[in-house]
Amino acid sequence: MIKSSELILNPDGSVYHLNLLPENIAHDIIFVGDQNRVEKITQSFDSIEFSTQKREFKTQTGMLKGKRITVMSTGIGPDNIDIVMNELDALVNIDLETRKPKETLTKLNIIRIGTSGSLQADIPVDSFVLSKYAIGLDNMLRSYLIDDVTEKAMENAFVKHTNWDDKKGKPYAIACSETLENKIFSDKMHKGITATSGGFYGPQGRVLRLNIQDKDLNDKLEAFSFEDNRVTNLEMETAAIYGLGKLLGHNCLSLNAIIANRASGTFSSDPYKAVDELIAYTLEKLVQ
């Protein structure tokens, strides 16, 4: 039995942070960072059966062309992903009354629709990127036993290429779900490695008033390649989603609308349009 201090439930039996019961979610789930983006997606639904919000975690579940889909905001960063992935898994794979894992496990399909900055000059603003792999620079996933799910050769090549400072913790590399990749990918998208950082400023090479540990990190990321996969973009969630998804047995895929190009120093003139187009593209693929 899982202790109440480890799996915390609200008085109504819902999981603590997400405020959800098992019947509130579909098996196909879309993640967004911004809570205001949830309704930008569900406004296209034929019907909405459930809606709730607690803190930055907003959830709506409904139907689109006969498919039941949940849309959820995760907020920013790997720490929030740790909460969301574990509580979603608890909803489908732990009996919340007995507090025991179920004998038959359920596999969720989770697709992140996010925004990101490109590190490559030839991946322009307003384009789409599918994360074939993700390299986590945040160290969150190292709290778990991850050796069975990581791409060790890629990790070692990355550490050598960047001359990574081991005081920051070893980066981890995770592959996406091939099932979702095959369903979603088309020639409208770029594909490569997404780097996931634990912060927005220093961890992504931005300098305001503070000096940073490795001022050349973004250049090293741009130049890294492994088996014809290069680092396409830099953001704050994908590696954590992929890692916990692999550990828990769920299919995960991350898609990004590129709204900034770090190599050229440009920013989209209409980032909301780019996001709307990625949403429409993803929903079309999801209901096929």
Side-chain angles (χ1 to χ4, degrees):
M1 179 181 293
I2 301 171
K3 296 178 181 178
S4 59
S5 60
E6 312 307 293
L7 175 59
I8 304 170
L9 302 179
N10 296 309
D12 65 353
S14 62
V15 289
Y16 182 64
H17 295 92
L18 302 184
N19 205 35
L20 297 173
L21 294 165
E23 60 265 28
N24 299 148
I25 64 167
H27 288 177
D28 292 287
I29 300 174
I30 294 174
F31 282 174
V32 294
D34 184 356
Q35 58 194 276
N36 294 324
R37 201 172 290 156
V38 171
E39 291 183 355
K40 288 180 70 69
I41 297 177
T42 60
Q43 67 184 357
S44 302
F45 284 15
D46 300 318
S47 62
I48 297 174
E49 67 183 65
F50 175 80
S51 182
T52 192
Q53 180 168 2
K54 185 177 181 182
R55 304 186 186 185
E56 63 266 56
F57 306 114
K58 182 173 183 175
T59 304
Q60 291 190 333
T61 298
M63 298 293 294
L64 177 63
K65 297 181 179 180
K67 181 178 283 288
R68 189 169 183 250
I69 302 172
T70 292
V71 184
M72 174 181 297
S73 62
T74 65
I76 299 173
D79 51 344
N80 274 20
I81 296 302
D82 183 57
I83 290 171
V84 171
M85 291 294 292
N86 276 289
E87 292 194 5
L88 279 178
D89 181 75
L91 288 172
V92 295
N93 289 324
I94 297 175
D95 186 316
L96 300 185
E97 293 186 2
T98 65
R99 294 181 170 274
K100 294 181 179 180
K102 297 178 180 179
E103 291 186 6
T104 302
L105 300 180
T106 295
K107 183 184 291 288
L108 299 172
N109 297 314
I110 298 169
I111 298 177
R112 174 185 182 269
I113 300 178
T115 57
S116 183
S118 168
L119 291 171
Q120 304 292 340
D122 63 338
I123 301 180
V125 295
D126 303 326
S127 61
F128 303 157
V129 166
L130 180 150
S131 304
K132 172 72 174 178
Y133 297 95
I135 293 180
L137 313 179
D138 57 280
N139 211 38
M140 184 279 290
L141 204 69
R142 293 285 175 192
S143 296
Y144 298 93
L145 301 175
I146 65 174
D147 285 350
D148 290 341
V149 300
T150 57
E151 304 290 327
K152 295 177 182 60
M154 182 183 292
E155 291 173 357
N156 293 333
F158 181 82
V159 167
K160 181 178 179 180
H161 171 81
T162 57
N163 191 27
W164 191 259
D165 186 340
D166 60 9
K167 292 193 295 294
K168 295 193 294 186
K170 185 179 180 180
Y172 57 92
I174 310 282
C176 73
S177 160
E178 290 187 5
T179 299
L180 291 180
E181 177 189 3
N182 293 335
K183 183 177 183 64
I184 300 297
F185 183 72
S186 76
D187 57 9
K188 293 183 179 180
M189 302 190 128
H190 299 271
K191 185 191 297 188
I193 303 169
T194 292
T196 296
S197 70
F200 184 77
Y201 288 96
Q204 293 191 31
R206 292 183 172 91
V207 177
L208 302 184
R209 291 201 313 114
L210 297 176
N211 291 326
I212 58 176
Q213 182 270 333
D214 187 353
K215 61 182 178 59
D216 299 319
L217 179 58
N218 283 8
D219 292 335
K220 295 174 184 177
L221 291 173
E222 179 186 351
F224 179 70
S225 179
F226 185 82
E227 295 180 352
D228 297 325
N229 294 289
R230 59 180 179 162
V231 179
T232 50
N233 59 312
L234 181 58
E235 48 78 271
M236 296 180 63
E237 289 83 30
T238 297
I241 294 170
Y242 282 10
L244 288 170
K246 290 280 187 183
L247 290 170
L248 293 167
H250 303 299
N251 293 319
C252 297
L253 187 69
S254 179
L255 310 174
N256 277 275
I258 298 300
I259 61 172
N261 187 292
R262 302 294 297 280
S264 64
T266 56
F267 192 83
S268 174
S269 61
D270 191 352
Y272 299 107
K273 180 183 177 183
V275 173
D276 288 345
E277 290 178 350
L278 180 56
I279 290 170
Y281 172 91
T282 306
L283 290 177
E284 180 181 355
K285 289 285 188 177
L286 196 57
V287 299
Q288 286 178 352

